[in-house]
Amino acid sequence: MHSAGTRTLEFTILSAEDLRIDGRPVKKNAFAVVRTDPSNSGSTRADLDGGSYPLWNEKVVVEMSMPMQKSVTVEVQCRVGSGNRVVGSVAVPVSEFLGGLTPEDYLHFLSYRLRDPRGVRNGIVNFSVRVIGGGGGNCSAAARNPSWGARSSSSRGFQVGVPVAGSRSNYGGGGGVVTGVPVWGSSRG
């Protein structure tokens, strides 16, 4: 639960892709850190054998102060002999998952390009995020208009996506939903 001055964010750090240190693939011990401010962060465990393509699928719960800041940092680090080394990071705009027309408990799946400390592209991080609990955010518009999302039969709220072929139900109760965010390979990012 959150106080009036905070929002609780639940990140599920899924995986990362094509991680490198000094141009060489990461061999092991990559982990992710979610930071809302210098004194509020959480991290995954290190993936001991995923190399440049670590898999975590771990929840990281952090508090975000209100009025809300503009971004949350997701950083991938690697344990090396001399300590931890930053592989890459991204400042995720809070507007990606809070405000707008989606309910606060809506689960957002996002993929972002990481940049190393010099600003060079260095892999991609995949995660989901949702704001836990209510609290008067700008979420009522989608809840008032059921045509903007499919009502889940499990009463978990709205889920938007494309049903997976062969799933037994649409959008809930064991069925699958495909969602995604394009990651451009051109000079856009």
Side-chain angles (χ1 to χ4, degrees):
M1 205 67 186
H2 58 79
S3 68
T6 64
R7 288 284 187 271
T8 301
L9 306 178
E10 180 186 80
F11 281 79
T12 301
I13 308 298
L14 301 169
S15 63
E17 306 169 29
D18 199 24
L19 301 179
R20 299 179 173 277
I21 293 181
D22 296 329
R24 293 186 310 259
V26 169
K27 293 189 189 287
K28 60 182 181 175
N29 296 329
F31 63 98
V33 177
V34 176
R35 185 175 301 110
T36 57
D37 61 55
S39 63
N40 192 355
S41 65
S43 67
T44 66
R45 290 176 293 210
D47 182 324
L48 301 179
D49 52 19
S52 291
Y53 294 82
L55 299 172
W56 298 290
N57 197 27
E58 289 185 39
K59 290 191 186 316
V60 176
V61 178
V62 292
E63 297 292 321
M64 182 177 66
S65 299
M66 299 300 282
M68 75 179 142
Q69 59 220 40
K70 294 182 180 188
S71 65
V72 173
T73 300
V74 177
E75 185 174 79
V76 176
Q77 298 183 20
C78 184
R79 291 196 177 115
V80 293
S82 58
N84 297 334
R85 185 151 176 207
V86 175
V87 175
S89 64
V90 62
V92 180
V94 171
S95 61
E96 286 277 23
F97 53 84
L98 187 61
L101 299 176
T102 57
E104 281 195 357
D105 284 329
Y106 182 82
L107 184 62
H108 301 267
F109 285 90
L110 303 169
S111 294
Y112 272 91
R113 168 131 354 247
L114 296 168
R115 300 277 179 174
D116 71 12
R118 297 179 316 255
V120 176
R121 293 182 198 184
N122 194 13
I124 294 169
V125 64
N126 305 297
F127 59 93
S128 67
V129 61
R130 73 181 180 107
V131 180
I132 297 175
N138 186 13
C139 64
S140 59
R144 287 192 310 262
N145 190 342
S147 67
W148 291 359
R151 183 53 117 166
S152 168
S153 61
S154 63
S155 300
R156 286 191 230 160
F158 293 90
Q159 296 176 340
V160 178
V162 179
V164 174
S167 65
R168 287 184 236 174
S169 66
N170 290 338
Y171 300 109
V177 176
V178 176
T179 62
V181 176
V183 177
W184 301 103
S186 69
S187 61
R188 295 181 189 202

